[in-house]
Amino acid sequence: MPKQWLYQEFTKRLSSAIANMTAITADIEEEGTPSPAQRALANHHWRQNLSVAGCSVWVVSPEASWRAFGSAILSATGVDDHDPGKIRETYAEMLTESISEVARALSAKLDRVVTCEGSGEPVEPPSDLDGQSLTIRLDDRETVKVWVGFSAGLSSLLAPPSKETAVNRGPQGDARITNMDVLLDVELPVSVSFGRAQLPLKDVIKLTTGSIVELNRAVTEAVDIVVNNCVIARGEVVVVEGNFGVRITQVISRQERLQTVY
């Protein structure tokens, strides 16, 4: 079932985000559709739109849940001032990380690039949105609950293709391209990545003017050429009339592109 796969992926990614940000191993159980009483208790609503038109993810939480998560993350980073606004903001960062990883999984499953569209927003889900209630135990700490829901458009994307759709596909399973001329003038953002670095939140907070962040790439290695958040090629840095440029040395395969989504 498409929705069941989505719930399982979110559960997996949420557990990973909790471990990364708090060093706590969380035990998460799915409990089915949330009751009206559970929905009534929720006062933290978070919607993250995806780059696929009409597709969104909602995470809804009661106060006890977002306070527990936010406080655990702040404590893990050595921050003692647990201001309610800071707690909510920190909890939202954890949700954003979880949903971003779900988008990566969707990219691989759909064989197309799926990313988070902008920042998440505190928007209530529609009243008819189906969802899954999750019970989360943080080690020996309290047990908390969240409710996650996915827009109907996501389930439709994951559904098996109909017979009519299959007829319109070529021998390799690729959909035939029509009206390509319409897309030729579409502008896409192009950027060059010199490398990445993963830092604990406590180290990020300490960054000041003059701080040095070591990247995961040597100066002799090729840089990534990123188009619309997807690595399409690699190259070497050159100077062109006083400006930086990149000479393409490798165009990567379609499969590798899906594995290197930014």
Side-chain angles (χ1 to χ4, degrees):
M1 296 290 289
K3 278 196 174 181
Q4 190 57 38
W5 181 87
L6 288 167
Y7 294 138
Q8 290 173 353
E9 280 298 318
F10 178 81
T11 299
K12 185 194 307 180
R13 309 303 174 174
L14 177 62
S15 177
S16 177
I18 294 171
N20 291 338
M21 302 180 80
T22 67
I24 294 173
T25 301
D27 181 22
I28 305 179
E29 295 182 4
E30 299 178 17
E31 290 193 336
T33 305
S35 66
Q38 288 176 322
R39 297 192 187 201
L41 288 173
N43 65 352
H44 187 287
H45 306 91
W46 193 253
R47 182 188 70 186
Q48 177 64 64
N49 293 328
L50 301 179
S51 57
V52 182
C55 294
S56 304
V57 183
W58 278 268
V59 183
V60 182
S61 318
E63 183 171 351
S65 298
W66 61 260
R67 281 187 176 275
F69 282 121
S71 297
I73 296 169
L74 290 173
S75 296
T77 57
V79 178
D80 297 324
D81 181 16
H82 293 185
D83 173 75
K86 187 66 175 177
I87 291 174
R88 292 178 73 101
E89 180 182 332
T90 304
Y91 175 58
E93 290 177 6
M94 184 188 74
L95 296 182
T96 299
E97 179 179 330
S98 304
I99 298 171
S100 295
E101 291 302 314
V102 172
R104 284 178 179 269
L106 278 168
S107 296
K109 191 171 184 66
L110 298 175
D111 197 24
R112 61 184 293 185
V113 178
V114 180
T115 59
C116 289
E117 190 79 3
S119 302
E121 304 172 295
V123 177
E124 291 191 34
S127 58
D128 60 346
L129 181 72
D130 291 331
Q132 180 78 255
S133 180
L134 305 176
T135 297
I136 306 164
R137 182 181 298 279
L138 303 176
D139 281 347
D140 296 330
R141 308 184 185 199
E142 61 191 301
T143 297
V144 296
K145 294 181 181 291
V146 299
W147 166 42
V148 58
F150 299 91
S151 58
L154 274 174
S155 297
S156 300
L157 283 174
L158 291 168
S162 64
K163 292 183 179 179
E164 180 180 354
T165 303
V167 168
N168 292 326
R169 292 182 175 269
Q172 302 302 321
D174 295 327
R176 294 177 181 174
I177 300 175
T178 58
N179 299 325
M180 186 64 183
D181 290 343
V182 177
L183 303 176
L184 294 181
D185 291 328
V186 174
E187 295 186 0
L188 297 175
V190 179
S191 59
V192 176
S193 172
F194 285 80
R196 292 184 177 185
Q198 287 189 336
L199 297 176
L201 185 56
K202 62 182 178 181
D203 291 341
V204 175
I205 295 173
K206 296 176 183 177
L207 292 177
T208 60
T209 303
S211 298
I212 296 176
V213 178
E214 183 178 353
L215 302 179
N216 64 344
R217 184 169 296 169
V219 294
T220 56
E221 291 186 62
V223 296
D224 291 337
I225 301 169
V226 184
V227 177
N228 199 30
N229 296 321
C230 181
V231 178
I232 67 163
R234 296 189 174 92
E236 57 184 16
V237 179
V238 297
V239 177
V240 182
E241 297 181 355
N243 296 322
F244 281 118
V246 179
R247 178 184 293 111
I248 295 176
T249 57
Q250 176 193 9
V251 177
I252 66 176
S253 66
R254 181 180 182 184
Q255 187 62 33
E256 189 177 358
R257 291 178 196 177
L258 294 174
Q259 297 172 357
T260 55
V261 176
Y262 272 62

